[in-house]
Each structure stands twice: as C-alpha cells, then as structure tokens.
Amino acid sequence: METVVLEAVTSETVSALAELAHEIWFEYWPSLIGADQTSYMVDRFQSLPAIERDMRDHAYEYWFVRAVDDGRIVGYTGGHVEPETNRFFISKIYLLASERGKHFASAVVSFYERLCRERGLSAMYLTVNKGNDLGVRAYRSNGFSVIDAVETDIGQGFIMDDYIMEKRVK
C-alpha cells in the first residue's frame, strides 16, 4: 500500500516549496556540513529563485510528498530527465525530521521507478553526501548502487563530497 501521494509543484505553490526546503535543510544539514555551507547551499540550490530557475531553464519537476493517511506534507522531491543518458536525475528527496524512518523515501523511489518506466528511461540516479549515512542506507535498501564518488567545488570554498548512486529500471 502506498504511503504517499506526490503533488506537482506549480507556479502558485513554488514559494511554499522554497519555505519547506529552508525548514528541512536547516533542521538536518548544519550538523553534517556546517551552518555556513548549509546557508550557502540553500541560497544557491533551494531558494525560491534557484527553484524557479531550475524549473524554467533546466526542465526540473518538483513534487510535494504528502502522507496518504491525512494529506500532511512530509517533504519534497524533484529532478529532471537527462535525454543524453536516458536517465532521470533525482536532485532532491528531502523529508521533515519528524517524518524520517517512516518509509516515505521508499515510496518516493517507487514513484520515480514508475515515472522512469512511463517515460522509457533506463535508470535513475542521484548524488548523496558521503557523510549522510541515513540517506546512503535508504538508497541502498531501495536498490541503488554506488557507481562513482565525486568532489564538486560549488564556490565560496565549499565542496560537495558525494557518492553517485544509480538504480536501473526494468
């Protein structure tokens, strides 16, 4: 039984998404990457202008993750098709602290599996911080494998130290 419903983010709801992103990021990431890098990354990748830019210029799609039982928003997700690789890049799966460990991430991965099949894509992939043990475990348990490790300079002296994980779609 599905535990979530994904609701597409629209131009009318994108500001609510940016507020949710800010809340989730500041409750989780400062302990892993520090407050300064968290602030920088929220501004650069999770702010309203950044989300609007990604939707407008890079064909990103975003969804609110809602619990089936009462419709509450438990997180958000987003990404985009990469036609050149025939894969879907999952840029974001983020859940509120109070909602982690309830299998919502697994339901989101199932959503992406269906999406990939519907669109004829061969795989989905994502990046995950090497220190994010919770995320790495969740993705492994949902069939993702590490296919690479990268360090990406994102500016201002900050580095993203990530695994690239992929799940093939049958």
Side-chain angles (χ1 to χ4, degrees):
M1 182 174 114
E2 283 297 315
T3 57
V4 299
V5 171
L6 277 84
E7 172 188 319
V9 172
T10 65
S11 58
E12 292 79 31
T13 59
V14 70
S15 61
L17 173 66
E19 290 173 22
L20 178 64
H22 187 275
E23 178 183 351
I24 291 172
W25 268 72
F26 280 97
E27 71 183 13
Y28 187 74
W29 287 103
S31 65
L32 282 174
I33 62 174
D36 289 344
Q37 184 166 345
T38 300
S39 293
Y40 177 74
M41 290 182 71
V42 166
D43 184 57
R44 182 141 184 232
F45 304 115
Q46 307 290 328
S47 65
L48 180 59
I51 293 167
E52 288 175 330
R53 176 199 64 227
D54 284 343
M55 291 173 77
R56 180 186 62 246
D57 299 343
H58 305 290
Y60 270 68
E61 301 171 81
Y62 288 95
W63 295 269
F64 290 106
V65 181
R66 290 188 176 272
V68 167
D69 59 0
D70 63 4
R72 73 189 181 282
I73 292 176
V74 300
Y76 70 104
T77 188
H80 66 96
V81 173
E82 286 188 348
E84 65 278 6
T85 65
N86 198 40
R87 299 184 301 178
F88 194 93
F89 173 58
I90 303 171
S91 175
K92 299 156 181 75
I93 299 178
Y94 295 113
L95 301 171
L96 290 161
S98 60
E99 305 295 349
R100 293 184 198 120
K102 299 179 181 179
H103 304 289
F104 292 128
S106 296
V108 172
V109 170
S110 293
F111 163 80
Y112 281 121
E113 286 182 78
R114 287 190 302 276
L115 186 82
C116 287
R117 280 190 203 100
E118 289 168 7
R119 295 181 182 184
L121 302 172
S122 61
M124 61 185 110
Y125 80 102
L126 50 81
T127 60
V128 59
N129 182 286
K130 291 176 186 172
N132 182 0
D133 295 330
L134 181 66
V136 171
R137 278 196 318 271
Y139 298 131
R140 283 189 191 281
S141 70
N142 278 285
F144 284 83
S145 302
V146 173
I147 60 169
D148 204 354
V150 294
E151 291 183 7
T152 307
D153 183 340
I154 58 171
Q156 302 291 318
F158 297 117
I159 302 290
M160 291 192 319
D161 189 15
D162 295 333
Y163 292 122
I164 298 174
M165 300 183 78
E166 181 183 69
K167 180 173 184 173
R168 305 296 297 168
V169 178
K170 295 180 172 118

